[in-house]
Coordinates of all heavy atoms in Angstrom, one line a residue:
M1 N -20.2 -28.8 23.5 CA -21.5 -28.4 23.1 C -22.5 -29.7 23.2 O -22.1 -30.8 22.9 CB -21.4 -28.0 21.6 CG -22.8 -27.7 21.0 SD -22.9 -26.7 19.4 CE -21.7 -27.5 18.5
S2 N -23.7 -29.4 23.5 CA -24.6 -30.5 23.6 C -25.1 -31.0 22.3 O -25.0 -30.3 21.3 CB -25.9 -29.9 24.3 OG -27.1 -30.8 24.3
A3 N -25.7 -32.1 22.2 CA -26.2 -32.7 21.0 C -27.6 -32.2 20.7 O -28.3 -32.6 19.7 CB -26.1 -34.3 20.9
A4 N -28.2 -31.4 21.6 CA -29.5 -31.0 21.4 C -29.6 -30.1 20.2 O -28.8 -29.4 19.7 CB -29.9 -30.1 22.6
R5 N -30.8 -30.3 19.5 CA -31.1 -29.6 18.2 C -32.6 -29.1 18.3 O -33.4 -29.7 18.9 CB -30.9 -30.4 17.0 CG -29.5 -30.8 16.8 CD -29.3 -31.7 15.6 NE -29.6 -31.0 14.4 CZ -28.8 -30.1 13.6 NH1 -27.6 -29.9 14.1 NH2 -29.2 -29.6 12.6
I6 N -32.8 -27.9 17.7 CA -34.2 -27.4 17.7 C -34.5 -27.0 16.3 O -33.6 -26.7 15.5 CB -34.4 -26.2 18.7 CG1 -33.4 -25.0 18.4 CG2 -34.1 -26.6 20.1 CD1 -33.6 -23.8 19.2
T7 N -35.9 -26.8 16.0 CA -36.3 -26.3 14.8 C -36.3 -24.8 14.9 O -36.2 -24.2 15.8 CB -37.8 -26.8 14.5 OG1 -38.6 -26.2 15.6 CG2 -37.9 -28.3 14.6
V8 N -36.6 -24.2 13.6 CA -36.7 -22.8 13.6 C -37.8 -22.3 14.5 O -37.6 -21.3 15.2 CB -36.8 -22.3 12.2 CG1 -37.1 -20.7 12.1 CG2 -35.5 -22.6 11.3
A9 N -38.9 -22.9 14.4 CA -40.2 -22.6 15.3 C -39.8 -22.7 16.7 O -40.2 -21.7 17.5 CB -41.4 -23.4 14.8
E10 N -39.0 -23.7 17.2 CA -38.6 -23.8 18.6 C -37.7 -22.6 19.0 O -37.7 -22.1 20.0 CB -38.0 -25.1 18.8 CG -39.0 -26.3 18.8 CD -38.4 -27.7 18.8 OE1 -37.3 -27.8 18.2 OE2 -39.0 -28.6 19.2
A11 N -36.7 -22.3 18.0 CA -35.8 -21.3 18.3 C -36.5 -19.9 18.4 O -36.2 -19.2 19.3 CB -34.7 -21.2 17.2
V12 N -37.5 -19.7 17.6 CA -38.3 -18.5 17.6 C -39.1 -18.4 19.0 O -39.2 -17.3 19.6 CB -39.2 -18.3 16.4 CG1 -40.2 -17.2 16.6 CG2 -38.4 -18.1 15.2
Q13 N -39.5 -19.5 19.4 CA -40.3 -19.5 20.7 C -39.3 -19.3 21.9 O -39.7 -18.6 22.9 CB -40.9 -21.0 20.9 CG -41.7 -21.1 22.2 CD -42.9 -20.1 22.2 OE1 -43.8 -20.2 21.4 NE2 -42.8 -19.3 23.2
M14 N -38.1 -19.8 21.7 CA -37.2 -19.6 22.7 C -36.8 -18.0 22.8 O -36.7 -17.4 23.9 CB -35.8 -20.3 22.4 CG -34.6 -20.1 23.3 SD -33.2 -21.0 22.9 CE -32.7 -20.0 21.4
L15 N -36.7 -17.4 21.7 CA -36.6 -16.0 21.7 C -37.7 -15.2 22.2 O -37.6 -14.2 22.9 CB -36.3 -15.4 20.2 CG -34.9 -16.0 19.6 CD1 -34.8 -15.5 18.1 CD2 -33.7 -15.5 20.4
A16 N -38.9 -15.6 21.9 CA -40.2 -15.0 22.3 C -40.3 -15.1 23.9 O -40.5 -14.2 24.5 CB -41.4 -15.7 21.8
D17 N -39.8 -16.3 24.4 CA -39.8 -16.4 25.9 C -38.7 -15.4 26.5 O -39.0 -14.8 27.6 CB -39.4 -17.9 26.3 CG -40.6 -18.8 25.9 OD1 -41.7 -18.3 25.6 OD2 -40.4 -20.0 25.9
A18 N -37.5 -15.4 26.0 CA -36.4 -14.6 26.5 C -36.7 -13.0 26.5 O -36.4 -12.3 27.3 CB -35.1 -14.9 25.7
F19 N -37.4 -12.7 25.3 CA -37.7 -11.3 25.1 C -39.1 -10.9 25.5 O -39.6 -9.8 25.4 CB -37.4 -10.9 23.7 CG -36.0 -11.1 23.2 CD1 -35.8 -11.6 21.9 CD2 -34.9 -11.1 24.0 CE1 -34.6 -11.9 21.5 CE2 -33.7 -11.4 23.6 CZ -33.5 -11.8 22.3
A20 N -39.9 -11.8 26.1 CA -41.3 -11.6 26.4 C -42.2 -10.9 25.2 O -42.7 -9.8 25.3 CB -41.4 -10.7 27.6
E21 N -42.0 -11.5 24.1 CA -42.6 -11.0 22.8 C -43.5 -12.2 22.3 O -43.3 -13.3 22.6 CB -41.5 -10.8 21.7 CG -40.7 -9.5 21.9 CD -41.5 -8.3 21.6 OE1 -42.1 -8.4 20.6 OE2 -41.3 -7.3 22.2
S22 N -44.3 -11.7 21.3 CA -45.2 -12.6 20.6 C -44.4 -13.4 19.5 O -43.5 -12.7 19.0 CB -46.4 -12.0 19.9 OG -47.0 -12.7 19.0
V23 N -44.6 -14.6 19.4 CA -43.9 -15.4 18.3 C -44.2 -14.9 16.9 O -43.3 -14.8 16.1 CB -44.3 -16.9 18.4 CG1 -43.8 -17.7 17.2 CG2 -43.9 -17.6 19.7
D24 N -45.4 -14.4 16.7 CA -45.8 -13.9 15.4 C -45.0 -12.8 14.8 O -44.8 -12.7 13.7 CB -47.3 -13.5 15.5 CG -48.3 -14.5 15.9 OD1 -47.9 -15.7 15.6 OD2 -49.3 -14.3 16.5
G25 N -44.5 -11.9 15.7 CA -43.7 -10.7 15.3 C -42.2 -11.1 15.1 O -41.4 -10.1 14.6
L26 N -41.8 -12.2 15.6 CA -40.2 -12.5 15.6 C -39.9 -13.1 14.2 O -39.5 -14.3 14.2 CB -39.8 -13.3 16.7 CG -40.1 -12.6 18.0 CD1 -39.7 -13.6 19.3 CD2 -39.2 -11.3 18.2
V27 N -39.9 -12.4 13.2 CA -39.3 -12.9 11.9 C -37.8 -12.5 11.8 O -37.3 -11.7 12.4 CB -40.2 -12.2 10.8 CG1 -41.6 -12.6 10.8 CG2 -40.1 -10.7 10.8
P28 N -37.2 -13.2 10.9 CA -35.7 -13.0 10.9 C -35.3 -11.6 10.6 O -34.3 -11.1 11.1 CB -35.3 -13.9 9.7 CG -36.3 -15.0 9.6 CD -37.6 -14.3 10.1
E29 N -36.1 -10.8 9.8 CA -35.7 -9.4 9.4 C -36.0 -8.4 10.6 O -35.5 -7.3 10.5 CB -36.6 -9.0 8.3 CG -36.4 -9.8 7.1 CD -37.2 -11.1 7.1 OE1 -38.2 -11.2 7.8 OE2 -36.8 -12.1 6.4
R30 N -36.6 -8.9 11.7 CA -37.0 -7.9 12.8 C -35.7 -7.5 13.5 O -35.0 -8.4 14.0 CB -38.0 -8.6 13.7 CG -38.5 -7.6 14.8 CD -39.8 -7.6 14.9 NE -40.3 -6.6 16.0 CZ -41.0 -6.9 17.0 NH1 -41.5 -8.1 17.1 NH2 -41.3 -6.1 18.0
S31 N -35.4 -6.2 13.6 CA -34.2 -5.8 14.3 C -34.3 -5.7 15.8 O -35.5 -5.7 16.3 CB -33.9 -4.4 13.7 OG -34.7 -3.5 14.2
R32 N -33.2 -5.9 16.4 CA -33.1 -5.8 17.8 C -33.7 -4.6 18.4 O -34.4 -4.5 19.4 CB -31.6 -5.8 18.2 CG -31.4 -5.8 19.6 CD -29.8 -5.7 19.8 NE -29.6 -6.1 21.3 CZ -28.5 -6.8 21.7 NH1 -27.7 -7.3 20.8 NH2 -28.4 -6.9 23.0
E33 N -33.6 -3.4 17.7 CA -34.2 -2.1 18.1 C -35.7 -2.1 18.2 O -36.4 -1.4 18.9 CB -33.7 -1.0 17.2 CG -32.3 -0.6 17.4 CD -31.3 -1.7 16.5 OE1 -31.8 -2.2 15.5 OE2 -30.2 -1.8 17.0
D34 N -36.3 -3.0 17.3 CA -37.8 -3.1 17.4 C -38.4 -4.1 18.3 O -39.6 -4.2 18.4 CB -38.3 -3.5 15.9 CG -37.9 -2.3 14.9 OD1 -37.9 -1.1 15.3 OD2 -37.7 -2.7 13.7
I35 N -37.6 -4.6 19.2 CA -38.0 -5.6 20.1 C -37.7 -5.0 21.6 O -36.6 -5.1 22.0 CB -37.2 -7.0 19.9 CG1 -37.5 -7.6 18.5 CG2 -37.7 -8.0 21.0 CD1 -36.7 -8.7 18.1
A36 N -38.8 -4.6 22.2 CA -38.6 -3.9 23.5 C -37.9 -4.8 24.6 O -37.1 -4.3 25.3 CB -40.0 -3.4 24.0
G37 N -38.2 -6.1 24.4 CA -37.7 -7.0 25.5 C -36.2 -7.4 25.2 O -35.6 -8.1 26.0
W38 N -35.6 -7.0 24.0 CA -34.2 -7.3 23.7 C -33.4 -6.2 24.3 O -32.6 -5.7 23.6 CB -34.1 -7.5 22.3 CG -32.8 -8.3 21.9 CD1 -31.8 -8.6 22.6 CD2 -32.6 -8.8 20.6 NE1 -30.8 -9.2 21.9 CE2 -31.2 -9.5 20.6 CE3 -33.2 -9.0 19.4 CZ2 -30.6 -10.1 19.6 CZ3 -32.7 -9.6 18.3 CH2 -31.4 -10.1 18.3
D39 N -33.5 -6.0 25.5 CA -32.7 -5.1 26.3 C -31.5 -5.8 27.0 O -31.4 -7.0 26.7 CB -33.5 -4.4 27.3 CG -34.3 -5.3 28.3 OD1 -34.1 -6.5 28.2 OD2 -35.3 -4.8 28.9
S40 N -30.9 -5.3 27.9 CA -29.8 -6.0 28.6 C -30.4 -7.2 29.4 O -29.6 -8.3 29.3 CB -29.1 -5.0 29.6 OG -30.0 -4.6 30.6
M41 N -31.5 -7.1 30.0 CA -32.1 -8.4 30.7 C -32.4 -9.5 29.6 O -32.1 -10.6 29.9 CB -33.3 -8.0 31.4 CG -33.8 -9.1 32.3 SD -32.6 -9.9 33.3 CE -32.7 -8.9 34.8
G42 N -33.0 -9.0 28.5 CA -33.3 -10.0 27.6 C -32.2 -10.7 26.9 O -32.1 -11.9 26.7
A43 N -31.0 -9.9 26.7 CA -29.8 -10.5 26.2 C -29.3 -11.5 27.3 O -28.7 -12.6 26.8 CB -28.8 -9.3 26.0
L44 N -29.3 -11.1 28.5 CA -28.8 -12.1 29.5 C -29.7 -13.4 29.6 O -29.1 -14.4 29.7 CB -28.8 -11.5 30.9 CG -27.8 -10.3 31.1 CD1 -28.0 -9.7 32.5 CD2 -26.4 -11.0 31.1
M45 N -31.0 -13.3 29.4 CA -31.8 -14.4 29.4 C -31.5 -15.2 28.2 O -31.4 -16.5 28.3 CB -33.4 -14.0 29.2 CG -33.8 -13.2 30.4 SD -34.1 -14.2 31.9 CE -35.5 -15.1 31.3
L46 N -31.3 -14.6 27.1 CA -30.8 -15.4 25.8 C -29.5 -16.1 26.1 O -29.3 -17.4 25.8 CB -30.8 -14.5 24.6 CG -30.3 -15.3 23.3 CD1 -31.2 -16.2 23.0 CD2 -30.2 -14.2 22.2
M47 N -28.5 -15.4 26.7 CA -27.3 -16.0 26.8 C -27.4 -17.2 27.8 O -26.8 -18.3 27.6 CB -26.3 -15.0 27.5 CG -25.9 -13.9 26.5 SD -25.2 -12.5 27.4 CE -23.4 -13.1 27.5
A48 N -28.2 -17.0 28.9 CA -28.5 -18.2 29.8 C -29.1 -19.4 29.2 O -28.7 -20.6 29.3 CB -29.3 -17.7 31.0
E49 N -30.0 -19.1 28.3 CA -30.8 -20.2 27.6 C -29.8 -21.0 26.7 O -29.9 -22.2 26.7 CB -32.0 -19.6 26.9 CG -32.9 -20.6 26.4 CD -33.7 -21.3 27.5 OE1 -33.9 -20.8 28.5 OE2 -34.1 -22.4 27.2
L50 N -29.1 -20.2 25.9 CA -28.1 -20.9 25.1 C -27.1 -21.7 25.8 O -26.8 -22.9 25.3 CB -27.3 -19.8 24.1 CG -28.2 -19.1 23.2 CD1 -27.5 -18.0 22.5 CD2 -28.9 -20.0 22.2
D51 N -26.7 -21.2 26.9 CA -25.7 -22.1 27.7 C -26.4 -23.3 28.3 O -25.9 -24.4 28.2 CB -25.2 -21.2 28.8 CG -24.1 -21.9 29.7 OD1 -23.5 -22.8 29.2 OD2 -23.9 -21.5 30.8
E52 N -27.6 -23.1 28.9 CA -28.3 -24.3 29.5 C -28.7 -25.3 28.5 O -28.6 -26.5 28.7 CB -29.6 -23.7 30.2 CG -30.4 -24.8 30.9 CD -31.4 -24.2 31.8 OE1 -31.3 -23.2 32.4 OE2 -32.6 -24.9 31.7
R53 N -29.3 -24.9 27.4 CA -29.8 -25.8 26.4 C -28.8 -26.5 25.6 O -28.9 -27.6 25.2 CB -30.8 -25.2 25.5 CG -32.2 -25.0 25.9 CD -33.0 -24.5 24.7 NE -34.3 -24.1 25.2 CZ -35.3 -24.0 24.5 NH1 -35.4 -24.5 23.3 NH2 -36.6 -23.7 25.0
F54 N -27.7 -25.6 25.1 CA -26.8 -26.2 24.2 C -25.3 -26.1 24.5 O -24.4 -26.6 23.8 CB -26.8 -25.3 22.8 CG -28.3 -25.2 22.4 CD1 -29.0 -24.0 22.4 CD2 -29.0 -26.3 21.9 CE1 -30.3 -23.9 22.0 CE2 -30.4 -26.2 21.5 CZ -31.0 -25.0 21.6
G55 N -25.0 -25.6 25.7 CA -23.7 -25.5 26.2 C -22.9 -24.4 25.4 O -21.7 -24.5 25.3
L56 N -23.6 -23.4 24.8 CA -22.9 -22.4 24.0 C -22.7 -21.2 24.8 O -23.7 -20.7 25.5 CB -23.9 -22.0 22.9 CG -24.3 -23.1 21.8 CD1 -25.3 -22.6 20.8 CD2 -22.9 -23.5 21.1
Q57 N -21.5 -20.8 24.8 CA -21.0 -19.6 25.6 C -21.0 -18.3 24.9 O -20.0 -18.0 24.3 CB -19.7 -19.9 26.3 CG -19.5 -21.1 27.1 CD -20.3 -21.0 28.4 OE1 -20.3 -19.9 29.1 NE2 -21.0 -22.0 28.8
L58 N -22.2 -17.6 24.8 CA -22.3 -16.5 24.0 C -21.7 -15.3 24.9 O -22.3 -15.2 26.1 CB -23.8 -16.2 23.6 CG -24.1 -15.0 23.0 CD1 -23.5 -15.0 21.5 CD2 -25.7 -14.8 22.9
D59 N -20.7 -14.5 24.5 CA -20.2 -13.6 25.3 C -20.9 -12.2 25.0 O -21.7 -12.1 24.0 CB -18.7 -13.5 25.2 CG -18.2 -13.1 23.8 OD1 -18.9 -12.3 23.1 OD2 -17.1 -13.5 23.5
A60 N -20.6 -11.2 25.7 CA -21.3 -9.9 25.6 C -21.0 -9.4 24.2 O -21.9 -8.7 23.5 CB -20.9 -9.0 26.8
E61 N -19.8 -9.5 23.7 CA -19.5 -8.9 22.5 C -20.2 -9.6 21.4 O -20.7 -8.9 20.4 CB -17.9 -9.0 22.2 CG -17.5 -8.4 20.9 CD -16.0 -8.5 20.7 OE1 -15.3 -8.3 21.7 OE2 -15.7 -8.7 19.6
Q62 N -20.4 -10.9 21.4 CA -21.1 -11.6 20.4 C -22.6 -11.3 20.4 O -23.3 -11.2 19.5 CB -21.0 -13.2 20.6 CG -19.6 -13.7 20.3 CD -19.4 -15.1 20.7 OE1 -19.8 -15.5 21.9 NE2 -19.0 -16.0 19.9
S63 N -23.0 -11.1 21.7 CA -24.5 -10.7 21.9 C -24.8 -9.4 21.3 O -25.8 -9.2 20.6 CB -24.8 -10.7 23.4 OG -26.2 -10.4 23.6
R64 N -23.9 -8.4 21.5 CA -24.1 -7.1 21.0 C -24.0 -7.1 19.5 O -24.7 -6.2 18.8 CB -23.0 -6.1 21.5 CG -23.4 -5.7 22.9 CD -22.5 -4.5 23.4 NE -21.1 -5.0 23.4 CZ -20.5 -5.4 24.5 NH1 -21.2 -5.7 25.6 NH2 -19.2 -5.8 24.5
A65 N -23.3 -8.0 18.8 CA -23.2 -8.1 17.4 C -24.4 -8.6 16.8 O -24.6 -8.4 15.5 CB -22.0 -8.9 17.0
M66 N -25.3 -9.3 17.5 CA -26.5 -9.8 17.0 C -27.5 -8.6 16.9 O -28.0 -8.0 17.9 CB -27.1 -10.8 17.9 CG -26.3 -12.1 17.9 SD -26.9 -13.3 19.0 CE -25.8 -14.6 18.8
R67 N -27.8 -8.2 15.6 CA -28.7 -7.1 15.4 C -30.1 -7.5 14.9 O -30.9 -6.5 14.7 CB -28.1 -6.2 14.3 CG -26.6 -5.7 14.6 CD -26.3 -5.1 16.0 NE -27.3 -4.0 16.1 CZ -27.6 -3.5 17.4 NH1 -27.0 -4.0 18.4 NH2 -28.3 -2.5 17.5
S68 N -30.4 -8.7 14.7 CA -31.8 -9.1 14.3 C -32.0 -10.6 14.8 O -31.1 -11.2 15.2 CB -31.8 -9.0 12.8 OG -31.1 -10.0 12.2
V69 N -33.2 -10.9 14.6 CA -33.6 -12.3 14.8 C -33.0 -13.2 13.9 O -32.4 -14.3 14.4 CB -35.2 -12.5 14.7 CG1 -35.6 -13.8 14.8 CG2 -36.0 -11.5 15.8
G70 N -32.8 -12.8 12.8 CA -32.0 -13.6 11.8 C -30.5 -13.9 12.3 O -30.0 -15.0 12.0
D71 N -30.0 -12.9 12.9 CA -28.5 -13.1 13.4 C -28.5 -14.2 14.5 O -27.5 -14.9 14.5 CB -28.0 -11.7 14.0 CG -27.8 -10.6 13.0 OD1 -27.6 -11.0 11.7 OD2 -27.6 -9.6 13.4
V72 N -29.5 -14.2 15.3 CA -29.5 -15.3 16.4 C -29.7 -16.7 15.8 O -29.0 -17.5 16.0 CB -30.6 -15.1 17.4 CG1 -30.7 -16.2 18.5 CG2 -30.5 -13.7 18.1
L73 N -30.6 -16.7 14.7 CA -30.8 -17.9 14.0 C -29.6 -18.3 13.3 O -29.2 -19.6 13.3 CB -32.0 -17.9 13.0 CG -33.3 -17.5 13.6 CD1 -34.4 -17.4 12.6 CD2 -33.8 -18.7 14.6
A74 N -28.8 -17.4 12.7 CA -27.6 -17.8 12.1 C -26.6 -18.3 13.0 O -25.8 -19.2 12.7 CB -27.0 -16.5 11.3
Y75 N -26.5 -17.7 14.2 CA -25.6 -18.2 15.3 C -25.8 -19.6 15.6 O -25.0 -20.5 15.7 CB -25.7 -17.2 16.5 CG -24.9 -17.7 17.7 CD1 -23.6 -17.3 17.7 CD2 -25.4 -18.5 18.7 CE1 -22.8 -17.6 18.9 CE2 -24.6 -18.9 19.8 CZ -23.3 -18.5 19.8 OH -22.6 -18.9 21.0
L76 N -27.1 -19.9 15.7 CA -27.6 -21.3 16.1 C -27.2 -22.2 14.9 O -26.7 -23.4 15.2 CB -29.1 -21.3 16.4 CG -29.6 -20.6 17.6 CD1 -31.1 -20.6 17.8 CD2 -29.0 -21.2 18.9
R77 N -27.4 -21.8 13.7 CA -27.1 -22.6 12.5 C -25.7 -22.8 12.5 O -25.2 -24.0 12.3 CB -27.6 -21.9 11.3 CG -27.8 -22.6 10.1 CD -28.5 -21.9 9.0 NE -29.9 -21.5 9.1 CZ -30.4 -20.5 9.4 NH1 -29.7 -19.3 9.4 NH2 -31.7 -20.3 9.6
T78 N -24.8 -21.8 12.7 CA -23.4 -22.0 12.7 C -22.9 -22.9 13.7 O -21.9 -23.7 13.5 CB -22.7 -20.5 12.9 OG1 -23.1 -19.7 11.9 CG2 -21.2 -20.7 12.9
H79 N -23.5 -23.0 14.9 CA -23.1 -23.9 16.0 C -23.8 -25.3 15.9 O -23.6 -26.0 16.8 CB -23.3 -23.2 17.3 CG -22.3 -22.2 17.5 ND1 -22.4 -20.9 17.0 CD2 -21.1 -22.2 18.1 CE1 -21.4 -20.1 17.3 NE2 -20.5 -20.9 18.0
G80 N -24.5 -25.5 14.7 CA -25.0 -26.9 14.5 C -26.2 -27.3 15.5 O -26.4 -28.5 15.5
V81 N -26.9 -26.3 15.9 CA -28.1 -26.7 16.8 C -29.5 -26.4 16.2 O -30.4 -26.7 16.8 CB -27.9 -26.0 18.2 CG1 -26.7 -26.5 18.9 CG2 -28.1 -24.6 18.2
L82 N -29.4 -25.8 15.0 CA -30.7 -25.5 14.3 C -31.0 -26.4 13.2 O -30.2 -26.5 12.2 CB -30.6 -24.0 13.9 CG -31.9 -23.5 13.3 CD1 -32.9 -23.3 14.5 CD2 -31.7 -22.1 12.7
D83 N -32.1 -27.1 13.3 CA -32.6 -27.9 12.2 C -33.4 -27.0 11.3 O -34.1 -26.1 11.7 CB -33.6 -29.0 12.7 CG -32.9 -30.1 13.4 OD1 -31.7 -30.4 13.0 OD2 -33.4 -30.8 14.3
E84 N -33.2 -27.3 10.0 CA -33.9 -26.4 9.0 C -35.2 -27.2 8.5 O -35.7 -28.0 8.7 CB -33.0 -26.3 7.8 CG -31.8 -25.4 8.1 CD -32.2 -24.0 8.6 OE1 -33.2 -23.3 8.0 OE2 -31.5 -23.5 9.4

């Protein structure tokens, strides 16, 4: 894993970029079903970004288990890349 770390705001921006969404609407409680860009392509974009930035290998099963923006933030927190 890389030593790179990001803030919550930077993580939300990363998600906004991956899902082609506005940062303003990406609050932790927002569910995957409410984010049009969090489709199969968006999930692949997120997986690629996590690998490139942090060396995190998110597999398809882990990706499907993420049901909200908060779940992604929790994943980043668990892997030590999210600054609070």
Side-chain angles (χ1 to χ4, degrees):
M1 177 169 46
S2 169
R5 295 183 60 86
I6 58 173
T7 65
V8 171
E10 290 167 331
V12 170
Q13 181 63 59
M14 178 182 70
L15 294 176
D17 293 343
F19 304 145
E21 284 282 323
S22 168
V23 171
D24 298 330
L26 293 179
V27 295
E29 301 79 24
R30 184 132 181 236
S31 74
R32 182 180 190 146
E33 290 79 28
D34 293 334
I35 301 172
W38 197 344
D39 54 11
S40 57
M41 182 57 86
L44 288 173
M45 296 284 290
L46 177 60
M47 291 167 80
E49 191 68 25
L50 293 176
D51 184 26
E52 184 178 315
R53 280 193 190 202
F54 311 110
L56 297 175
Q57 300 292 317
L58 180 67
D59 64 32
E61 185 176 320
Q62 291 170 312
S63 177
R64 283 190 296 273
M66 293 179 176
R67 306 307 307 158
S68 68
V69 171
D71 288 345
V72 178
L73 297 176
Y75 177 85
L76 294 172
R77 202 173 284 115
T78 297
H79 287 84
V81 299
L82 188 66
D83 283 334
E84 294 299 323

